[in-house]
Amino acid sequence: MSKKIFNSILCLLLSISLFSGCSLSSNRLASKAVSSQAIDGHLYPAYKMINNTQKWGYINSVGTFLINPQFDNAEPFTKDGIARITQNNLIGIIDKTGKIIIKPSFQFINDFSEGVATANTPTDNKVINLKGQILYSSKDYIGNFSNGMAITEKTSSGSQNLYGYIDKTGAVKISPQYISA
């Protein structure tokens, strides 16, 4: 065998060995990256078909269900670590462990702001806190809270809707007197 062919084969074997080692190293790095994604703390809504019905739960960054599919609908978690879920056409709130914080009993729950949210039932509107406690109920519309107040709408005797502002306890801070607010 000539020296030139021998050197070529030797270079080829060294290259294969070198690239194999890099491949193994990159596989180990990729494995470590997948492991860190599995524990990054983020949960994402995802559904699975169970008995021909969509059931929603929450998966982690690598697609593993951490909250089993059990809801009719599931929304993303907020920065407060809570998410709206739907069961039997009613909305409730869960935490990142899947624990129900607010039992599904509302037609809608607005986003939480300043520790409270407005929630709607067929008969009235409520102001609720993160524990699900009802702070105030009203037949009138209640908007989202900002700077300690929420817009409220009342129908005047002339069937004109007038707007004002209430605080978290329902106390009127600015009486409904404005055509728009």
Side-chain angles (χ1 to χ4, degrees):
M1 194 190 258
S2 79
K3 190 173 185 179
K4 190 175 182 180
I5 294 174
F6 177 76
N7 285 341
S8 295
I9 292 173
L10 185 59
C11 284
L12 180 63
L13 290 173
L14 286 173
S15 296
I16 291 172
S17 174
L18 180 63
F19 287 124
S20 297
C22 288
S23 176
L24 288 174
S25 294
S26 70
N27 282 344
R28 282 187 207 114
L29 290 174
S31 176
K32 286 181 183 176
V34 168
S35 295
S36 69
Q37 285 180 342
I39 57 170
D40 69 359
H42 297 292
L43 294 175
Y44 307 94
Y47 77 86
K48 200 175 200 180
M49 295 302 288
I50 299 173
N51 298 326
N52 294 323
T53 304
Q54 278 185 10
K55 287 296 178 181
W56 288 81
Y58 290 87
I59 57 172
N60 63 9
S61 301
V62 295
T64 303
F65 275 101
L66 296 183
I67 299 174
N68 289 328
Q70 59 191 298
F71 309 113
D72 299 336
N73 192 30
E75 294 185 24
F77 279 92
T78 68
K79 62 180 170 40
D80 296 319
I82 58 172
R84 281 186 285 252
I85 50 94
T86 305
Q87 287 182 317
N88 301 317
N89 294 319
L90 296 173
I91 298 173
I93 301 286
I94 64 168
D95 67 13
K96 284 194 170 190
T97 68
K99 178 182 173 198
I100 293 180
I101 302 298
I102 298 173
K103 181 182 170 195
S105 56
F106 298 100
Q107 289 179 315
F108 190 75
I109 299 175
N110 286 309
D111 291 337
F112 277 84
S113 173
E114 301 179 11
V116 295
T118 53
N120 313 98
T121 68
T123 58
D124 61 1
N125 300 298
K126 299 177 184 310
V127 176
I128 59 174
N129 65 18
L130 287 166
K131 294 178 182 176
Q133 297 167 322
I134 297 169
L135 305 178
Y136 172 72
S137 293
S138 175
K139 300 269 184 219
D140 300 317
Y141 168 80
I142 305 169
N144 288 334
F145 280 85
S146 176
N147 299 316
M149 296 197 302
I151 193 167
T152 186
E153 173 188 35
K154 293 190 184 275
T155 303
S156 69
S157 58
S159 64
Q160 172 73 45
N161 291 342
L162 297 176
Y163 299 89
Y165 290 87
I166 59 171
D167 68 11
K168 294 177 186 178
T169 66
V172 175
K173 293 300 181 179
I174 300 173
S175 63
Q177 57 186 311
Y178 302 100
I179 294 171
S180 183

